[in-house]
Amino acid sequence: QTGMLCSSDIFSMKAALRLPEQRPHAPNVLYCSTRWRSKACQTVRAVPAKADAAELKSNVMRAVSNTARGKNTTAPQRAAILDKLVALEAINPTRDPAASPLISGVWALLYQAPLDEERAQVDKSGTTEGPFLAAFQPLTQGLVRTKANLQLIDLPNQRVENLAEFTVLGKWEGSLNIVGSGKIMEPEGGGGPVVRVAVEFTEFVLSLGDRAWTVPLSWVKPQGWVQTTYLDDDFRIGRGDKGSIFVASRVKGASWPPASVAKSK
């Protein structure tokens, strides 16, 4: 499994997406809650079409700010943020996000969290930088600090790259770039919205200072998917195959690779 990309049991919390008649791309979401919720299961109804998307986005931005991309949050905080994300997902303005030209571009990770707190206690792969390949992020806690997480999506050229920029001991600049291919997945059973992108990663490039090492991943062939549940010109919500939900914002006018990474090569 890989993050930022389902089977019929999409999420650990058994989220089921149903299409309301009035807005075919705005799902009702039924999820089974964790011990942080008073009810066993809770249904979040689709927000009416007249809902103010700008206000909902503003609420999300305020909620995820100063969380270190979700790492500095408690389980109750994550539950409250999830409610806000589900409300915004319910008024997704893009019918087929994975097939939309809006999905391509450079995206910056703002927030990521597990959907299932109980699973997160035993499976850490979906809890930290989930959509940006947690399995390959620098693992030396305390010595390595992540500065930014970026993702390039170029579906016309079937290209996906996940980039983590970091510092070591506060002195040395480095980056970890996972390079792969991305393809639009047709909805299971046909007729539904096109929301998933399948990804297969082929190599990663580890840079530290002025040195870089490229490691092929052909012997592993890590694969996964990302499901985009909200997409507009500058904002994106997705759910990954590791049981995570994430928020990303478009980096407008960005070059790839970023100047800081290109300079080190």
Side-chain angles (χ1 to χ4, degrees), residues 43-77:
T43 301
V44 180
R45 298 296 179 186
V47 178
K50 64 181 180 180
D52 187 350
E55 182 179 352
L56 290 176
K57 286 173 62 175
S58 179
N59 290 340
V60 168
M61 291 296 291
R62 286 195 298 269
V64 305
S65 63
N66 300 318
T67 66
R69 295 176 295 278
K71 287 182 285 189
N72 295 342
T73 56
T74 64
Q77 286 176 319

PDB file of all heavy atoms in Angstrom, residues 43-77:
ATOM      1  N   THR A  43     -23.688   9.419  10.615  1.00  0.00           N
ATOM      2  CA  THR A  43     -23.857   9.789   9.219  1.00  0.00           C
ATOM      3  C   THR A  43     -23.711  11.291   9.075  1.00  0.00           C
ATOM      4  O   THR A  43     -24.342  12.052   9.783  1.00  0.00           O
ATOM      5  CB  THR A  43     -25.246   9.373   8.697  1.00  0.00           C
ATOM      6  OG1 THR A  43     -25.374   7.959   8.848  1.00  0.00           O
ATOM      7  CG2 THR A  43     -25.394   9.731   7.220  1.00  0.00           C
ATOM      8  N   VAL A  44     -22.827  11.697   8.166  1.00  0.00           N
ATOM      9  CA  VAL A  44     -22.655  13.110   7.865  1.00  0.00           C
ATOM     10  C   VAL A  44     -23.373  13.375   6.553  1.00  0.00           C
ATOM     11  O   VAL A  44     -22.980  12.879   5.512  1.00  0.00           O
ATOM     12  CB  VAL A  44     -21.161  13.482   7.747  1.00  0.00           C
ATOM     13  CG1 VAL A  44     -21.009  14.964   7.430  1.00  0.00           C
ATOM     14  CG2 VAL A  44     -20.445  13.132   9.039  1.00  0.00           C
ATOM     15  N   ARG A  45     -24.457  14.143   6.617  1.00  0.00           N
ATOM     16  CA  ARG A  45     -25.260  14.381   5.431  1.00  0.00           C
ATOM     17  C   ARG A  45     -24.581  15.375   4.491  1.00  0.00           C
ATOM     18  O   ARG A  45     -23.837  16.245   4.924  1.00  0.00           O
ATOM     19  CB  ARG A  45     -26.636  14.937   5.835  1.00  0.00           C
ATOM     20  CG  ARG A  45     -27.432  13.970   6.685  1.00  0.00           C
ATOM     21  CD  ARG A  45     -27.774  12.703   5.902  1.00  0.00           C
ATOM     22  NE  ARG A  45     -28.521  11.755   6.728  1.00  0.00           N
ATOM     23  CZ  ARG A  45     -28.831  10.538   6.327  1.00  0.00           C
ATOM     24  NH1 ARG A  45     -28.459  10.117   5.134  1.00  0.00           N
ATOM     25  NH2 ARG A  45     -29.503   9.736   7.116  1.00  0.00           N
ATOM     26  N   ALA A  46     -24.859  15.205   3.217  1.00  0.00           N
ATOM     27  CA  ALA A  46     -24.301  16.121   2.227  1.00  0.00           C
ATOM     28  C   ALA A  46     -24.743  17.546   2.527  1.00  0.00           C
ATOM     29  O   ALA A  46     -25.901  17.806   2.834  1.00  0.00           O
ATOM     30  CB  ALA A  46     -24.760  15.726   0.825  1.00  0.00           C
ATOM     31  N   VAL A  47     -23.801  18.473   2.452  1.00  0.00           N
ATOM     32  CA  VAL A  47     -24.116  19.874   2.686  1.00  0.00           C
ATOM     33  C   VAL A  47     -24.896  20.394   1.483  1.00  0.00           C
ATOM     34  O   VAL A  47     -24.575  20.073   0.344  1.00  0.00           O
ATOM     35  CB  VAL A  47     -22.813  20.684   2.866  1.00  0.00           C
ATOM     36  CG1 VAL A  47     -23.117  22.158   3.055  1.00  0.00           C
ATOM     37  CG2 VAL A  47     -22.029  20.132   4.046  1.00  0.00           C
ATOM     38  N   PRO A  48     -25.939  21.190   1.672  1.00  0.00           N
ATOM     39  CA  PRO A  48     -26.711  21.699   0.545  1.00  0.00           C
ATOM     40  C   PRO A  48     -25.843  22.442  -0.453  1.00  0.00           C
ATOM     41  O   PRO A  48     -24.800  23.005  -0.109  1.00  0.00           O
ATOM     42  CB  PRO A  48     -27.720  22.648   1.213  1.00  0.00           C
ATOM     43  CG  PRO A  48     -27.844  22.128   2.605  1.00  0.00           C
ATOM     44  CD  PRO A  48     -26.484  21.600   2.966  1.00  0.00           C
ATOM     45  N   ALA A  49     -26.291  22.487  -1.697  1.00  0.00           N
ATOM     46  CA  ALA A  49     -25.508  23.098  -2.769  1.00  0.00           C
ATOM     47  C   ALA A  49     -25.198  24.554  -2.488  1.00  0.00           C
ATOM     48  O   ALA A  49     -24.192  25.085  -2.957  1.00  0.00           O
ATOM     49  CB  ALA A  49     -26.255  22.956  -4.096  1.00  0.00           C
ATOM     50  N   LYS A  50     -26.073  25.236  -1.736  1.00  0.00           N
ATOM     51  CA  LYS A  50     -25.885  26.660  -1.477  1.00  0.00           C
ATOM     52  C   LYS A  50     -24.852  26.931  -0.380  1.00  0.00           C
ATOM     53  O   LYS A  50     -24.568  28.077  -0.040  1.00  0.00           O
ATOM     54  CB  LYS A  50     -27.219  27.291  -1.095  1.00  0.00           C
ATOM     55  CG  LYS A  50     -27.807  26.740   0.206  1.00  0.00           C
ATOM     56  CD  LYS A  50     -29.145  27.394   0.517  1.00  0.00           C
ATOM     57  CE  LYS A  50     -29.755  26.846   1.817  1.00  0.00           C
ATOM     58  NZ  LYS A  50     -31.044  27.474   2.115  1.00  0.00           N
ATOM     59  N   ALA A  51     -24.298  25.881   0.202  1.00  0.00           N
ATOM     60  CA  ALA A  51     -23.318  26.066   1.273  1.00  0.00           C
ATOM     61  C   ALA A  51     -22.137  26.891   0.774  1.00  0.00           C
ATOM     62  O   ALA A  51     -21.753  26.825  -0.387  1.00  0.00           O
ATOM     63  CB  ALA A  51     -22.835  24.716   1.775  1.00  0.00           C
ATOM     64  N   ASP A  52     -21.592  27.672   1.652  1.00  0.00           N
ATOM     65  CA  ASP A  52     -20.492  28.562   1.307  1.00  0.00           C
ATOM     66  C   ASP A  52     -19.187  27.792   1.360  1.00  0.00           C
ATOM     67  O   ASP A  52     -18.623  27.567   2.431  1.00  0.00           O
ATOM     68  CB  ASP A  52     -20.468  29.742   2.280  1.00  0.00           C
ATOM     69  CG  ASP A  52     -19.461  30.805   1.886  1.00  0.00           C
ATOM     70  OD1 ASP A  52     -18.643  30.555   0.971  1.00  0.00           O
ATOM     71  OD2 ASP A  52     -19.494  31.874   2.498  1.00  0.00           O
ATOM     72  N   ALA A  53     -18.698  27.373   0.188  1.00  0.00           N
ATOM     73  CA  ALA A  53     -17.467  26.591   0.132  1.00  0.00           C
ATOM     74  C   ALA A  53     -16.279  27.384   0.670  1.00  0.00           C
ATOM     75  O   ALA A  53     -15.399  26.822   1.325  1.00  0.00           O
ATOM     76  CB  ALA A  53     -17.191  26.143  -1.304  1.00  0.00           C
ATOM     77  N   ALA A  54     -16.253  28.677   0.395  1.00  0.00           N
ATOM     78  CA  ALA A  54     -15.144  29.506   0.871  1.00  0.00           C
ATOM     79  C   ALA A  54     -15.082  29.502   2.390  1.00  0.00           C
ATOM     80  O   ALA A  54     -13.994  29.439   2.984  1.00  0.00           O
ATOM     81  CB  ALA A  54     -15.291  30.933   0.350  1.00  0.00           C
ATOM     82  N   GLU A  55     -16.238  29.554   3.040  1.00  0.00           N
ATOM     83  CA  GLU A  55     -16.263  29.535   4.499  1.00  0.00           C
ATOM     84  C   GLU A  55     -15.812  28.181   5.039  1.00  0.00           C
ATOM     85  O   GLU A  55     -15.057  28.115   6.011  1.00  0.00           O
ATOM     86  CB  GLU A  55     -17.669  29.852   5.001  1.00  0.00           C
ATOM     87  CG  GLU A  55     -17.769  29.889   6.532  1.00  0.00           C
ATOM     88  CD  GLU A  55     -19.152  30.239   7.016  1.00  0.00           C
ATOM     89  OE1 GLU A  55     -20.006  30.600   6.171  1.00  0.00           O
ATOM     90  OE2 GLU A  55     -19.395  30.151   8.231  1.00  0.00           O
ATOM     91  N   LEU A  56     -16.256  27.104   4.397  1.00  0.00           N
ATOM     92  CA  LEU A  56     -15.844  25.774   4.831  1.00  0.00           C
ATOM     93  C   LEU A  56     -14.332  25.592   4.655  1.00  0.00           C
ATOM     94  O   LEU A  56     -13.662  25.020   5.513  1.00  0.00           O
ATOM     95  CB  LEU A  56     -16.599  24.701   4.050  1.00  0.00           C
ATOM     96  CG  LEU A  56     -18.093  24.574   4.354  1.00  0.00           C
ATOM     97  CD1 LEU A  56     -18.738  23.552   3.433  1.00  0.00           C
ATOM     98  CD2 LEU A  56     -18.328  24.211   5.811  1.00  0.00           C
ATOM     99  N   LYS A  57     -13.806  26.074   3.539  1.00  0.00           N
ATOM    100  CA  LYS A  57     -12.359  25.989   3.316  1.00  0.00           C
ATOM    101  C   LYS A  57     -11.603  26.799   4.359  1.00  0.00           C
ATOM    102  O   LYS A  57     -10.563  26.369   4.864  1.00  0.00           O
ATOM    103  CB  LYS A  57     -12.010  26.479   1.912  1.00  0.00           C
ATOM    104  CG  LYS A  57     -12.380  25.501   0.815  1.00  0.00           C
ATOM    105  CD  LYS A  57     -12.185  26.100  -0.560  1.00  0.00           C
ATOM    106  CE  LYS A  57     -10.766  26.467  -0.853  1.00  0.00           C
ATOM    107  NZ  LYS A  57     -10.578  26.946  -2.250  1.00  0.00           N
ATOM    108  N   SER A  58     -12.130  27.965   4.689  1.00  0.00           N
ATOM    109  CA  SER A  58     -11.499  28.790   5.710  1.00  0.00           C
ATOM    110  C   SER A  58     -11.495  28.081   7.058  1.00  0.00           C
ATOM    111  O   SER A  58     -10.496  28.136   7.803  1.00  0.00           O
ATOM    112  CB  SER A  58     -12.223  30.130   5.812  1.00  0.00           C
ATOM    113  OG  SER A  58     -11.649  30.948   6.802  1.00  0.00           O
ATOM    114  N   ASN A  59     -12.595  27.402   7.366  1.00  0.00           N
ATOM    115  CA  ASN A  59     -12.664  26.645   8.624  1.00  0.00           C
ATOM    116  C   ASN A  59     -11.612  25.549   8.660  1.00  0.00           C
ATOM    117  O   ASN A  59     -10.964  25.311   9.687  1.00  0.00           O
ATOM    118  CB  ASN A  59     -14.054  26.031   8.791  1.00  0.00           C
ATOM    119  CG  ASN A  59     -15.127  27.066   9.075  1.00  0.00           C
ATOM    120  OD1 ASN A  59     -14.827  28.177   9.507  1.00  0.00           O
ATOM    121  ND2 ASN A  59     -16.378  26.707   8.827  1.00  0.00           N
ATOM    122  N   VAL A  60     -11.434  24.873   7.528  1.00  0.00           N
ATOM    123  CA  VAL A  60     -10.434  23.815   7.451  1.00  0.00           C
ATOM    124  C   VAL A  60      -9.034  24.391   7.613  1.00  0.00           C
ATOM    125  O   VAL A  60      -8.211  23.856   8.362  1.00  0.00           O
ATOM    126  CB  VAL A  60     -10.554  23.051   6.115  1.00  0.00           C
ATOM    127  CG1 VAL A  60      -9.336  22.142   5.904  1.00  0.00           C
ATOM    128  CG2 VAL A  60     -11.825  22.227   6.083  1.00  0.00           C
ATOM    129  N   MET A  61      -8.765  25.498   6.926  1.00  0.00           N
ATOM    130  CA  MET A  61      -7.433  26.098   6.997  1.00  0.00           C
ATOM    131  C   MET A  61      -7.086  26.516   8.421  1.00  0.00           C
ATOM    132  O   MET A  61      -5.955  26.303   8.887  1.00  0.00           O
ATOM    133  CB  MET A  61      -7.358  27.295   6.056  1.00  0.00           C
ATOM    134  CG  MET A  61      -7.391  26.930   4.581  1.00  0.00           C
ATOM    135  SD  MET A  61      -5.955  25.957   4.079  1.00  0.00           S
ATOM    136  CE  MET A  61      -4.662  27.181   4.225  1.00  0.00           C
ATOM    137  N   ARG A  62      -8.055  27.091   9.118  1.00  0.00           N
ATOM    138  CA  ARG A  62      -7.809  27.488  10.508  1.00  0.00           C
ATOM    139  C   ARG A  62      -7.554  26.260  11.379  1.00  0.00           C
ATOM    140  O   ARG A  62      -6.701  26.285  12.273  1.00  0.00           O
ATOM    141  CB  ARG A  62      -8.991  28.289  11.048  1.00  0.00           C
ATOM    142  CG  ARG A  62      -9.083  29.706  10.526  1.00  0.00           C
ATOM    143  CD  ARG A  62     -10.038  30.541  11.369  1.00  0.00           C
ATOM    144  NE  ARG A  62     -11.396  30.015  11.323  1.00  0.00           N
ATOM    145  CZ  ARG A  62     -12.312  30.398  10.448  1.00  0.00           C
ATOM    146  NH1 ARG A  62     -12.005  31.316   9.547  1.00  0.00           N
ATOM    147  NH2 ARG A  62     -13.525  29.882  10.477  1.00  0.00           N
ATOM    148  N   ALA A  63      -8.292  25.187  11.105  1.00  0.00           N
ATOM    149  CA  ALA A  63      -8.177  23.990  11.939  1.00  0.00           C
ATOM    150  C   ALA A  63      -6.843  23.282  11.766  1.00  0.00           C
ATOM    151  O   ALA A  63      -6.298  22.731  12.723  1.00  0.00           O
ATOM    152  CB  ALA A  63      -9.327  23.031  11.626  1.00  0.00           C
ATOM    153  N   VAL A  64      -6.304  23.286  10.541  1.00  0.00           N
ATOM    154  CA  VAL A  64      -5.072  22.527  10.289  1.00  0.00           C
ATOM    155  C   VAL A  64      -3.815  23.363  10.458  1.00  0.00           C
ATOM    156  O   VAL A  64      -2.703  22.817  10.468  1.00  0.00           O
ATOM    157  CB  VAL A  64      -5.093  21.898   8.878  1.00  0.00           C
ATOM    158  CG1 VAL A  64      -6.330  21.039   8.687  1.00  0.00           C
ATOM    159  CG2 VAL A  64      -4.997  22.956   7.784  1.00  0.00           C
ATOM    160  N   SER A  65      -3.955  24.673  10.589  1.00  0.00           N
ATOM    161  CA  SER A  65      -2.768  25.514  10.749  1.00  0.00           C
ATOM    162  C   SER A  65      -2.103  25.240  12.098  1.00  0.00           C
ATOM    163  O   SER A  65      -2.760  24.885  13.074  1.00  0.00           O
ATOM    164  CB  SER A  65      -3.147  26.995  10.645  1.00  0.00           C
ATOM    165  OG  SER A  65      -4.021  27.360  11.689  1.00  0.00           O
ATOM    166  N   ASN A  66      -0.802  25.376  12.116  1.00  0.00           N
ATOM    167  CA  ASN A  66      -0.002  25.170  13.335  1.00  0.00           C
ATOM    168  C   ASN A  66      -0.123  23.756  13.895  1.00  0.00           C
ATOM    169  O   ASN A  66       0.004  23.552  15.105  1.00  0.00           O
ATOM    170  CB  ASN A  66      -0.396  26.193  14.412  1.00  0.00           C
ATOM    171  CG  ASN A  66      -0.191  27.625  13.974  1.00  0.00           C
ATOM    172  OD1 ASN A  66       0.827  27.957  13.356  1.00  0.00           O
ATOM    173  ND2 ASN A  66      -1.161  28.484  14.263  1.00  0.00           N
ATOM    174  N   THR A  67      -0.368  22.778  13.022  1.00  0.00           N
ATOM    175  CA  THR A  67      -0.414  21.379  13.476  1.00  0.00           C
ATOM    176  C   THR A  67       0.792  20.579  13.008  1.00  0.00           C
ATOM    177  O   THR A  67       0.847  19.376  13.227  1.00  0.00           O
ATOM    178  CB  THR A  67      -1.683  20.672  12.959  1.00  0.00           C
ATOM    179  OG1 THR A  67      -1.626  20.572  11.522  1.00  0.00           O
ATOM    180  CG2 THR A  67      -2.947  21.414  13.370  1.00  0.00           C
ATOM    181  N   ALA A  68       1.764  21.255  12.357  1.00  0.00           N
ATOM    182  CA  ALA A  68       2.932  20.552  11.804  1.00  0.00           C
ATOM    183  C   ALA A  68       2.475  19.433  10.875  1.00  0.00           C
ATOM    184  O   ALA A  68       2.892  18.289  10.982  1.00  0.00           O
ATOM    185  CB  ALA A  68       3.841  20.018  12.903  1.00  0.00           C
ATOM    186  N   ARG A  69       1.583  19.807   9.950  1.00  0.00           N
ATOM    187  CA  ARG A  69       1.018  18.871   8.970  1.00  0.00           C
ATOM    188  C   ARG A  69       0.307  17.702   9.639  1.00  0.00           C
ATOM    189  O   ARG A  69       0.300  16.582   9.147  1.00  0.00           O
ATOM    190  CB  ARG A  69       2.110  18.374   8.008  1.00  0.00           C
ATOM    191  CG  ARG A  69       2.702  19.478   7.135  1.00  0.00           C
ATOM    192  CD  ARG A  69       3.830  18.999   6.270  1.00  0.00           C
ATOM    193  NE  ARG A  69       4.980  18.563   7.048  1.00  0.00           N
ATOM    194  CZ  ARG A  69       5.900  19.382   7.554  1.00  0.00           C
ATOM    195  NH1 ARG A  69       5.801  20.693   7.362  1.00  0.00           N
ATOM    196  NH2 ARG A  69       6.905  18.918   8.239  1.00  0.00           N
ATOM    197  N   GLY A  70      -0.288  17.975  10.793  1.00  0.00           N
ATOM    198  CA  GLY A  70      -1.077  16.965  11.483  1.00  0.00           C
ATOM    199  C   GLY A  70      -0.361  16.234  12.596  1.00  0.00           C
ATOM    200  O   GLY A  70      -0.994  15.538  13.399  1.00  0.00           O
ATOM    201  N   LYS A  71       0.943  16.402  12.692  1.00  0.00           N
ATOM    202  CA  LYS A  71       1.710  15.645  13.691  1.00  0.00           C
ATOM    203  C   LYS A  71       1.491  16.167  15.107  1.00  0.00           C
ATOM    204  O   LYS A  71       1.565  15.396  16.067  1.00  0.00           O
ATOM    205  CB  LYS A  71       3.199  15.667  13.327  1.00  0.00           C
ATOM    206  CG  LYS A  71       3.535  14.792  12.131  1.00  0.00           C
ATOM    207  CD  LYS A  71       5.011  14.784  11.809  1.00  0.00           C
ATOM    208  CE  LYS A  71       5.456  16.059  11.139  1.00  0.00           C
ATOM    209  NZ  LYS A  71       6.849  15.979  10.631  1.00  0.00           N
ATOM    210  N   ASN A  72       1.191  17.454  15.250  1.00  0.00           N
ATOM    211  CA  ASN A  72       0.970  18.037  16.576  1.00  0.00           C
ATOM    212  C   ASN A  72      -0.514  18.135  16.884  1.00  0.00           C
ATOM    213  O   ASN A  72      -1.055  19.217  17.146  1.00  0.00           O
ATOM    214  CB  ASN A  72       1.628  19.411  16.669  1.00  0.00           C
ATOM    215  CG  ASN A  72       3.137  19.345  16.575  1.00  0.00           C
ATOM    216  OD1 ASN A  72       3.738  18.285  16.772  1.00  0.00           O
ATOM    217  ND2 ASN A  72       3.762  20.463  16.263  1.00  0.00           N
ATOM    218  N   THR A  73      -1.203  17.014  16.833  1.00  0.00           N
ATOM    219  CA  THR A  73      -2.638  16.993  17.130  1.00  0.00           C
ATOM    220  C   THR A  73      -2.955  15.822  18.055  1.00  0.00           C
ATOM    221  O   THR A  73      -2.258  14.820  18.074  1.00  0.00           O
ATOM    222  CB  THR A  73      -3.478  16.841  15.850  1.00  0.00           C
ATOM    223  OG1 THR A  73      -3.065  15.651  15.148  1.00  0.00           O
ATOM    224  CG2 THR A  73      -3.347  18.043  14.946  1.00  0.00           C
ATOM    225  N   THR A  74      -4.019  15.986  18.801  1.00  0.00           N
ATOM    226  CA  THR A  74      -4.526  14.907  19.631  1.00  0.00           C
ATOM    227  C   THR A  74      -5.656  14.205  18.882  1.00  0.00           C
ATOM    228  O   THR A  74      -6.185  14.724  17.897  1.00  0.00           O
ATOM    229  CB  THR A  74      -5.060  15.444  20.962  1.00  0.00           C
ATOM    230  OG1 THR A  74      -6.191  16.304  20.690  1.00  0.00           O
ATOM    231  CG2 THR A  74      -3.988  16.230  21.709  1.00  0.00           C
ATOM    232  N   ALA A  75      -6.054  13.038  19.366  1.00  0.00           N
ATOM    233  CA  ALA A  75      -7.144  12.304  18.723  1.00  0.00           C
ATOM    234  C   ALA A  75      -8.443  13.115  18.701  1.00  0.00           C
ATOM    235  O   ALA A  75      -9.134  13.141  17.674  1.00  0.00           O
ATOM    236  CB  ALA A  75      -7.352  10.951  19.402  1.00  0.00           C
ATOM    237  N   PRO A  76      -8.836  13.789  19.789  1.00  0.00           N
ATOM    238  CA  PRO A  76     -10.044  14.620  19.716  1.00  0.00           C
ATOM    239  C   PRO A  76      -9.926  15.749  18.692  1.00  0.00           C
ATOM    240  O   PRO A  76     -10.903  16.077  18.011  1.00  0.00           O
ATOM    241  CB  PRO A  76     -10.187  15.169  21.139  1.00  0.00           C
ATOM    242  CG  PRO A  76      -9.496  14.165  22.002  1.00  0.00           C
ATOM    243  CD  PRO A  76      -8.336  13.707  21.185  1.00  0.00           C
ATOM    244  N   GLN A  77      -8.748  16.351  18.584  1.00  0.00           N
ATOM    245  CA  GLN A  77      -8.555  17.393  17.579  1.00  0.00           C
ATOM    246  C   GLN A  77      -8.710  16.832  16.174  1.00  0.00           C
ATOM    247  O   GLN A  77      -9.334  17.444  15.305  1.00  0.00           O
ATOM    248  CB  GLN A  77      -7.164  18.027  17.728  1.00  0.00           C
ATOM    249  CG  GLN A  77      -7.027  18.950  18.920  1.00  0.00           C
ATOM    250  CD  GLN A  77      -5.613  19.463  19.071  1.00  0.00           C
ATOM    251  OE1 GLN A  77      -4.633  18.725  18.888  1.00  0.00           O
ATOM    252  NE2 GLN A  77      -5.476  20.736  19.404  1.00  0.00           N
TER     253      GLN A  77
END
